[in-house]
Amino acid sequence: MRKAPTILHLDMDAFYASAEQASKPSLRGKAVVVGGLGPRGVVATASYEARVFGVHSAMPMAQARRLAPNAAYLVPRFAFYKAISEQVMGLLRELSPLVEPLSLDEAFVDLEAGGTAWDEASARLVGAKLRADIRAVTGLTGSVGLAASKMLAKIASEQAKPDGLVVIEPGTERALLGPMSVRTLPGVGPATGDHLRRAGIHTVDEIVEAGEDELVRLLGKAHGHGLYAMALARDERAVVAEREAKSVSVEDTYDVDIHDRVRVGLEVQRLADRCVRRLREAGLSGRTIVLKVRRYDFSTLTRSETLRGPTDDPAVVREAALRLLEGVDSTGGVRLLGVGVSGLADFTQEDLFAQAAGVGADHAVEEVADDVPVAAERDVVVERRWVAGHDVRHAEYGHGWVQGSGLGRVTVRFETPDSEPGRVRTFLVDDPALEVAEPLPLVEVMGSHSTTRDGFHP
């Protein structure tokens, strides 16, 4: 381990919910829950105001509604969150070439590798400036932990929440970890935690007291040795700048089991198209098509087919996924479907053929991208047009967001990130003056007021 707290861990505070509160003035200071709103939905993020009622991430949405019936419940806007995340990650990459994103709202940074910090004082200054820059660029807050290892930096950022900065000085780690729960250590989930509890081990100090041999006996050689080293505050894991994607996949869980075989096939085609869009956004292609089916009894089947070469052609992926579906018994109903592509590459067979023939690959991709979606996808888009929390624009009233819809009506609150809480109005769902809109930036870009309000383009 290094001798200075130059590993930084950033964790944005209640990221999805905070982004929604910043975007919607009427929700600031109020309980907000973001996640799937159907009967089988789960909480993605809850604002700190909602957490007071016991709501937390990964909780069934039905339970969250019982705990906080008056909270605002919104469907995630992942493209919006991703755009904000890119702004934050850009700030981190200014500090060091070694940035290891863990998710949209969390990352490690090796400050020593970037030459931006070399001791506690310089690391603390970098952490404070980063928090200020994040607030200035995004309007949101993040918590920063600084330590000599990744494990301790993450623990520090957790202690800093919300909107704080904690530095763990080298030499103080053992005293800090000792009284903490074993669940604090990486790799100790519910199952391992229960196993240790049954052995009378509840704290990190008790892991050390039990000794390495006892940990190996209880948990096995690899896990036992690793956990004992963590309890002694030994963590030599390096910050890894890039993690190569092994697969790209999409999946949907359905509120009601699908029994119609034709409908299942149409859903698989729709998922295949979404998966290809993600592939292309990442500039990738793949050879192996994977189909995932979770049936009514929660049994999960996975089938795969490997092609002769990598592809990002939606027709090819759709056809392969449908062939895989033919071998799956969906009798009794399907509750989840997923389509993925693995064996990733940064080129396709079509690219190679185009280069050999002197044809521009961009032109070929453009033609495929204009394919008309399957009929089922068009129907789904119409049905889900007015999604709770998503952005709309009215010809007369301007920008707003959907509070809810049903019985042929849609309720919209008209407000923007820099306005006062707005008024609520209700329209017919087919009102021609109302249309889906792009999210607005949370912080106005200087000198571009007339253009940025038309959409979020950081």
Side-chain angles (χ1 to χ4, degrees):
M1 277 183 25
R2 56 190 69 187
K3 298 181 179 180
T6 53
I7 293 182
L8 180 148
H9 181 260
L10 170 71
D11 197 350
M12 299 294 289
D13 299 321
F15 182 48
Y16 299 168
S18 294
E20 296 296 349
Q21 289 176 316
S23 177
K24 302 171 172 63
S26 59
L27 298 184
R28 294 170 190 169
K30 298 181 179 179
V32 174
V33 181
V34 179
L37 302 189
R40 294 173 180 165
V42 296
V43 175
T45 306
S47 70
Y48 287 99
E49 296 85 354
R51 296 180 190 188
V52 171
F53 299 98
V55 180
H56 58 78
S57 60
M59 171 183 285
M61 191 62 77
Q63 182 181 355
R65 288 185 183 277
R66 289 194 296 270
L67 293 172
N70 297 319
Y73 289 87
L74 307 176
V75 175
R77 297 185 290 166
F78 288 112
F80 177 53
Y81 309 144
K82 184 179 179 182
I84 300 172
S85 174
E86 288 172 352
Q87 292 178 305
V88 173
M89 296 302 166
L91 292 173
L92 298 183
R93 292 186 179 98
E94 292 177 4
L95 300 177
S96 172
L98 293 185
V99 176
E100 182 179 339
L102 304 180
S103 61
L104 290 179
D105 61 338
E106 185 181 1
F108 287 109
V109 185
D110 188 335
L111 300 178
E112 188 174 299
T116 49
W118 48 91
D119 58 13
E120 181 190 344
S122 58
R124 192 182 291 273
L125 286 174
V126 169
K129 183 178 185 301
L130 173 63
R131 292 177 57 234
D133 288 345
I134 289 172
R135 185 186 290 273
V137 170
T138 70
L140 304 179
T141 63
S143 295
V144 170
L146 290 157
S149 70
K150 290 168 71 172
M151 176 186 73
L152 291 163
K154 186 171 174 62
I155 290 172
S157 69
E158 189 64 31
Q159 291 184 330
K161 283 188 165 295
D163 191 20
L165 184 151
V166 167
V167 180
I168 297 178
E169 300 177 22
T172 67
E173 299 95 343
R174 287 284 304 278
L176 174 74
L177 285 175
M180 291 184 173
S181 165
V182 294
R183 292 290 302 274
T184 304
L185 300 179
V188 181
T192 301
D194 286 344
H195 199 47
L196 292 172
R197 178 180 53 79
R198 288 194 294 271
I201 300 173
H202 302 85
T203 67
V204 176
D205 265 344
E206 288 171 344
I207 288 179
V208 177
E209 291 170 7
E212 189 170 12
D213 291 342
E214 178 66 6
L215 264 292
V216 170
R217 187 185 70 80
L218 289 171
L219 305 176
K221 189 173 181 180
H223 199 181
H225 285 312
L227 190 58
Y228 186 73
M230 294 283 189
L232 294 175
R234 297 173 186 164
D235 179 17
E236 302 296 339
R237 293 174 300 161
V239 176
V240 181
E242 296 293 338
R243 293 182 176 272
E244 184 178 354
K246 296 182 179 180
S247 65
V248 173
S249 63
V250 297
E251 62 182 44
D252 276 346
T253 301
Y254 303 98
D255 296 341
V256 179
D257 291 349
I258 302 175
H259 294 82
D260 182 1
R261 185 75 176 183
V262 174
R263 168 82 189 285
V264 172
L266 292 172
E267 288 293 321
V268 166
Q269 293 182 68
R270 183 176 63 82
L271 290 165
D273 287 344
R274 281 175 52 195
C275 184
V276 169
R277 284 198 292 271
R278 288 195 179 184
L279 271 178
R280 289 181 168 181
E281 288 171 359
L284 297 170
S285 61
R287 295 183 51 151
T288 302
I289 313 305
V290 181
L291 175 70
K292 177 180 177 182
V293 180
R294 181 166 296 149
R295 300 188 292 189
Y296 69 99
D297 59 357
F298 287 91
S299 61
T300 302
L301 303 177
T302 303
R303 300 287 185 268
S304 64
E305 174 183 323
T306 298
L307 308 174
R308 287 179 297 175
T311 184
D312 65 351
D313 186 332
V316 173
V317 177
R318 281 199 300 266
E319 291 167 6
L322 288 174
R323 284 196 299 272
L324 294 170
L325 180 63
E326 291 174 1
V328 174
D329 180 11
S330 59
T331 305
V334 171
R335 60 187 294 120
L336 177 147
L337 289 168
V339 174
V341 177
S342 60
L344 301 181
D346 57 3
F347 63 90
T348 67
Q349 280 189 320
E350 291 81 0
D351 290 335
L352 298 179
F353 291 141
Q355 290 169 17
V359 178
D362 289 345
H363 180 67
V365 170
E366 190 173 72
E367 289 180 350
V368 177
D370 289 338
D371 282 352
V372 177
V374 294
E377 182 163 7
R378 291 199 300 268
D379 292 342
V380 170
V381 171
V382 171
E383 290 171 4
R384 299 178 183 177
R385 183 181 177 191
W386 310 121
V387 182
H390 285 216
D391 298 82
V392 295
R393 181 178 296 279
H394 191 274
E396 180 180 353
Y397 301 109
H399 193 94
W401 57 278
V402 176
Q403 282 200 324
S405 63
L407 302 177
R409 301 285 193 277
V410 55
T411 300
V412 177
R413 184 180 290 274
F414 291 97
E415 58 186 5
T416 64
D418 55 3
S419 74
E420 296 295 321
R423 296 185 63 181
V424 174
R425 296 184 183 274
T426 299
F427 308 91
L428 294 174
V429 292
D430 57 356
D431 190 326
L434 193 64
E435 62 181 3
V436 174
E438 292 294 321
L440 300 180
L442 299 182
V443 176
E444 190 64 56
V445 179
M446 296 299 293
S448 56
H449 181 86
S450 61
T451 57
T452 55
R453 281 299 175 213
D454 291 331
F456 187 25
H457 304 291

